[in-house]
Amino acid sequence: MASLPLGPRSSAARPVVRRGRYRAPALLLAPFLLLFTACTLVPVGYAVHLSLFAERRSGLGFGGTRSVFTGLGNYTRALHDPAFRAGFATTAQYCLLYIPLMVALALALALLLDSALARARRFFQLALFLPHAVPGIIAALVWMYLYTPGISPVVDALHATTGSRPDLLGHPLPSVVNIALWEWTGYNMVIFYAALQALPREVLEAAVVDGAGALRTALGVKIPLIRSSLVMVGLFTIIGSLQLFTEPMILHGSSSGVVSTWTPNMYAYTAAFERGDYGLAAAASVLLALLAAVLSLVVTRATRTRDARTRDTRVRGRRAGARPGTENGAAA
């Protein structure tokens, strides 16, 4: 009889236990949510607000300026500007050239480090990752020095070898891609190498037992198993490519091919800090952010759909292989 009051007490204590269970995650997430709100949500909201207004001067320009609500007028101006559209075309060419080269090179280096062919792995990991530790501005300045004729040892060496002085700054797209490759290949190589190290060793040993060589194991076993890492690197690289700004901005002063609106980010920078049109710059930035969000959604959905189809195909194959055995067992 003395144990009867324990039932109500335990049921009354359940809400308290549940509240305590969610209190610790809330406290741990609070700093992140605070910084995310202050550094991301608030600036994005302010940019959207700023993109809906434009500065107008009264009279002949001698009077003060006033902010006028224009709605989607700044977005219309940006989309109808040929320079803004040309920036997206340049970014598309940059992605088509840079992303396959970077992913292939980073993946090849990671597979080489993961194989038994590479010695002193820690040294090569550090050596390949060090370029990423150099700030982007410093890297762009160093490469601008290496690209400039007259002071570049690279151009002088090519002249001594081939007899010609190539104008590396006259073709800005390959030059910018080269800088990005130097900066980001080692970083993505570390991601691929970490994914390869996490693969189950029994799967790799089974491939070796079946007679698969190093190349066949890499192409048929390792790469399919780290497909999620490949998708993640590809997605982040696409988003980063849309934000291309530092490298072409540094080369802008030395290369005639890099104009002030060469990329969408440079277009927004020029509109804001050279022409003082902050509404147009905010609208261009919002459009760029929307494009990055749409591309992220498309890549994520396509990856999930492909994984689901692959999973369904495997399940159907297993069921089709299990049916004859089941029927034979039933007949026996």
Side-chain angles (χ1 to χ4, degrees), residues 126-150:
L126 180 61
L128 293 171
F129 184 78
L130 275 179
H132 179 71
V134 179
I137 295 179
I138 304 300
L141 289 173
V142 170
W143 280 102
M144 184 181 68
Y145 163 75
L146 295 176
Y147 289 152
T148 304

Side-chain angles (χ1 to χ4, degrees), residues 9-328:
R9 287 181 183 178
S10 60
S11 61
R14 288 177 183 175
V16 179
V17 174
R18 291 179 180 177
R19 286 195 297 268
R21 181 184 304 173
Y22 295 112
R23 186 176 303 170
L27 290 176
L28 294 174
L29 289 174
F32 165 76
L33 293 176
L34 181 62
L35 290 174
F36 180 74
T37 302
C39 300
T40 302
L41 296 182
V42 173
V44 169
Y46 180 69
V48 173
H49 169 76
L50 198 62
S51 66
L52 301 177
F53 294 86
E55 299 292 332
R56 295 288 186 267
R57 295 181 180 273
S58 59
L60 299 176
F62 297 100
T65 60
R66 57 190 180 91
S67 182
V68 179
F69 180 78
T70 59
L72 299 179
N74 290 323
Y75 295 94
T76 304
R77 282 201 298 151
L79 292 175
H80 284 81
D81 193 341
F84 185 62
R85 298 196 301 268
F88 281 105
T90 302
T91 304
Q93 296 174 9
Y94 171 82
C95 291
L96 291 176
L97 182 61
Y98 165 63
I99 295 178
L101 288 176
M102 189 276 299
V103 173
L105 186 58
L107 185 59
L109 292 173
L111 290 171
L112 181 62
L113 289 176
D114 187 63
S115 67
L117 300 177
R119 306 299 179 186
R121 296 181 182 179
R122 292 185 179 180
F123 169 77
F124 285 107
Q125 289 177 32
L126 180 61
L128 293 171
F129 184 78
L130 275 179
H132 179 71
V134 179
I137 295 179
I138 304 300
L141 289 173
V142 170
W143 280 102
M144 184 181 68
Y145 163 75
L146 295 176
Y147 289 152
T148 304
I151 61 175
S152 170
V154 176
V155 176
D156 293 340
L158 291 175
H159 176 67
T161 304
T162 62
S164 61
R165 293 183 180 272
D167 186 10
L168 301 178
L169 292 176
H171 304 281
L173 186 60
S175 301
V176 174
V177 169
N178 178 63
I179 299 175
L181 286 173
W182 186 81
E183 287 183 286
W184 290 97
T185 299
Y187 175 83
N188 292 296
M189 180 272 300
V190 171
I191 296 177
F192 292 148
Y193 179 74
L196 290 172
Q197 289 294 299
L199 294 180
R201 293 297 141 181
E202 57 271 14
V203 177
L204 303 179
E205 292 173 359
V208 174
V209 171
D210 291 340
L215 181 60
R216 186 176 178 183
T217 302
L219 298 178
V221 179
K222 292 183 178 181
I223 293 179
L225 289 177
I226 63 168
R227 187 171 56 187
S228 58
S229 298
L230 290 170
V231 172
M232 181 190 69
V233 168
L235 180 60
F236 288 167
T237 305
I238 291 174
I239 297 175
S241 299
L242 291 176
Q243 302 173 5
L244 182 64
F245 176 77
T246 303
E247 294 83 1
M249 196 66 188
I250 296 297
L251 298 180
H252 171 56
S254 302
S255 175
S256 59
V258 182
V259 297
S260 60
T261 58
W262 200 63
T263 65
N265 264 341
M266 294 179 66
Y267 177 90
Y269 178 87
T270 302
F273 299 105
E274 293 185 9
R275 291 185 287 172
D277 196 343
Y278 296 102
L280 179 62
S285 302
V286 172
L287 289 174
L288 185 60
L290 289 176
L291 178 61
V294 170
L295 288 177
S296 302
L297 181 62
V298 169
V299 173
T300 304
R301 288 286 182 87
T303 305
R304 289 180 179 178
T305 303
R306 183 177 179 180
D307 291 342
R309 290 177 180 175
T310 304
R311 194 180 305 111
D312 292 342
T313 303
R314 291 177 179 176
V315 171
R316 292 174 182 174
R318 291 175 183 175
R319 290 178 178 176
R323 285 174 185 173
T326 304
E327 294 175 357
N328 293 335

